[in-house]
Each structure stands twice: as C-alpha cells, then as structure tokens.
Amino acid sequence: MPEGFEMAVQLLPEPLCAAARAMPGYVKNCAEEFRLRTGTQPTLRLPEGERVFGSVRVTPETLCAVLERATNASMHAVADELRCGYISAPGGVRVGVCGTAVRENGMRALRDISSLCIRIPRQLRGIGRSAIERVKDDSVLIVSSPGGGKTTFLRELIRTVSDSGVRVCLADERGEIAGIYGGTAQFDIGRCTDVLTGVPKAQAATMLLRAMGPEVVAMDEIGTDEDADAVESLLGCGVRIFATAHASADGAPLARPVFRRLTETGAFGKIVRIGGAGVRSYVVETL
C-alpha cells in the first residue's frame, strides 16, 4: 500500500478504514483525497472524479473520530490551525475542515463540523524533471487549477535546488509543502532548506530574509497585494522566488491585477503551467 495512502487511511474510523484498505492497488496509487460529508457516503477523489467507498453514511460522530485521530485527542493544541480551516496530521496529511464559523472571545472558531477533506500526501521524486532543469536558476511562478499538482512540483523543485547546496527558505503558511509535524518535516525538502510554518507567507518571507540569509524563498499560493510586496522586497535584496498560484482552466492567472503588477516589473523570469489529469504535463514559458 502506498505510504501516503496508508497515513491518510489511519485517520479513518472503522469500517471506513477497512473499506479503504480493500480498494484495488491502482486506485490507491492515484487517489488524491478522502471526502467525508455528513449524511452522505464517503468518497475518494481520483483524477477522473469522486468515487464512493464503503456502505455507511458519514455521521457527526465519524467526523469527530477523524479529528480525534488527527490531533492525537488534543483538539485544543490545533485551535489556531482549525480557525484557518485545516489541521496538519502526521505523515504530511492535511485535513481540510468545513462547518459553521462562530466568534469566541473575539476570534473565529468552527463549530458543527459538516465535512472533512483528507488530502493524501505524496512525495513524487523526479516529476517534471526537464521543467525543473529549465527553471531552477530563475525566479519562477508555477500555475495550475486547484488540485493540479502545483504544490507537489514546488516541493520537488525545492528539494532539487536545496540538495545542490543552495540555501532555500520555505514560507510554509499551512504546513502543506514540508508537512512539519512535531518540528520535523514529513517530506524530503532537501538538505539546505529552512522552514517557517504557521505564519502568513508575506510576513514569513520578511522574517526569513532577516533571520536566515536565503538565496531562494519559496511560498505556496500567492495572490494578494501583501504577497506581491513581499516578492518585490525579496527580489530587491537579490533573493530568487519560487511561488505557486491558482490558474483558470486555460492556465492563465496573469489577468489578475496582482500578477500583472509582478509580470510588468519582471518579478518572474519563468512560468510553469501544469496541465492534465493523472499524467501531468509541464510547459515552461519565459516571461
């Protein structure tokens, strides 16, 4: 059984755990997420869409059991993450959470949890190798539709560059790239990579610049004016940028004002457009 699949399955209560483990090997190899929605049968997200597994419907108790396992029965310890709509679990697993947002002591919290998305982690060494060779010495923007493989490609780009001896600092706001758990990265992100997690990426980039002397700063899913400010500040200090962004179906995010601003100032020398379902394609363009 693929390691990432098993790490995600371990969060499921019986009988969902048994149903997931009984799936064919080819399904386990390409599975991307478990989706648990109260009142419906659980599904497994595959490249071609969602597939029902198991015969029992998801209940609020099911969701509570998953969260208990994901947090080692310490929900209070992940309260800050939960307010942002996710929880980081062992093995690089990330659990997205939906429910009703309420205010508690002036801060947002989630109550009446209604659905969970358990993302299956994978370290895919060697993916996009030719594209990585073409962009590794430049500042690069990686784009695809949601779930299109941006983070996986970014992780491999970071690992490749870091293992070559370049100091890479990772502003891992949601803990999804390195999969930090208990202070240890659950993914191989290279021997020269330093990670700051749990801090908004624009703020993290400034902290890393001041404290860690990076040659490259990597960040996932930029898109705000604050992110653009951070990118321009880093470039002004001679630091290269590896970043990702959501794209429309044609892979073109550059119509958005924040990206027009960055491209007009020459922030990124290259763009990698990721397409395809299951088998990914990587198209490199010079900006």
Side-chain angles (χ1 to χ4, degrees):
M1 182 182 299
E3 183 178 355
F5 188 88
E6 174 59 24
M7 294 301 296
V9 165
Q10 288 176 12
L11 301 184
L12 299 174
E14 294 291 351
L16 299 185
C17 187
R21 287 186 171 130
M23 290 181 181
Y26 73 90
V27 171
K28 297 173 184 175
N29 286 330
C30 65
E32 298 174 356
E33 297 170 345
F34 290 104
R35 293 272 181 166
L36 308 180
R37 303 176 178 98
T38 304
T40 67
Q41 289 177 276
T43 64
L44 184 66
R45 183 183 169 209
L46 305 172
E48 63 270 19
E50 294 189 27
R51 166 177 173 170
V52 171
F53 74 96
S55 56
V56 252
R57 293 184 180 273
V58 175
T59 66
E61 291 73 24
T62 307
L63 304 185
C64 286
V66 172
L67 293 176
E68 285 284 307
R69 295 185 182 202
T71 63
N72 289 320
S74 299
M75 288 285 287
H76 64 280
V78 296
D80 289 339
E81 283 188 324
L82 191 55
R83 291 186 187 101
C84 296
Y86 68 91
I87 291 172
S88 298
V93 178
R94 182 168 168 267
V95 182
V97 184
C98 277
T100 301
V102 297
R103 289 282 177 179
E104 290 185 350
N105 299 320
M107 300 186 70
R108 184 181 63 188
L110 283 175
R111 291 289 180 268
D112 299 327
I113 305 301
S114 58
S115 61
L116 299 177
C117 167
I118 306 173
R119 184 165 293 185
I120 298 169
R122 282 196 175 84
Q123 177 106 41
L124 301 177
R125 290 179 175 81
I127 63 158
R129 182 173 299 165
S130 61
I132 286 174
E133 287 300 314
R134 293 177 61 188
V135 304
K136 66 181 183 179
D137 297 321
D138 214 327
S139 287
V140 58
L141 180 65
I142 304 154
V143 300
S144 78
S145 57
K150 296 182 300 297
T151 300
T152 303
F153 181 87
L154 176 61
R155 186 184 298 123
E156 183 64 5
L157 175 60
I158 291 168
R159 185 191 69 80
T160 300
V161 171
S162 175
D163 277 344
S164 73
V166 174
R167 293 189 308 279
V168 180
C169 284
L170 172 57
D172 199 5
E173 182 174 350
R174 299 178 301 176
E176 191 171 1
I177 305 171
I180 295 290
Y181 188 83
T184 301
Q186 305 295 293
F187 294 108
D188 181 0
I189 51 171
R191 63 183 176 86
C192 297
T193 302
D194 301 296
V195 185
L196 181 59
T197 190
V199 179
K201 60 184 72 68
Q203 180 183 347
T206 301
M207 295 168 65
L208 290 166
L209 177 64
R210 291 173 177 171
M212 302 305 295
E215 296 175 88
V216 175
V217 169
M219 57 185 78
D220 209 7
E221 296 183 7
I222 65 171
T224 67
D225 286 332
E226 290 78 10
D227 296 340
D229 289 342
V231 167
E232 291 174 344
S233 176
L234 290 165
L235 291 170
C237 295
V239 177
R240 287 185 286 134
I241 307 295
F242 297 162
T244 72
H246 286 308
S248 57
D250 62 0
L254 304 185
R256 293 164 58 186
V258 66
F259 294 113
R260 280 206 307 271
R261 167 187 164 186
L262 289 172
T263 53
E264 286 170 1
T265 58
F268 297 104
K270 298 284 196 318
I271 183 169
V272 177
R273 301 184 189 275
I274 305 176
V279 178
R280 305 293 187 194
S281 63
Y282 304 91
V283 177
V284 178
E285 299 175 9
T286 301
L287 295 176

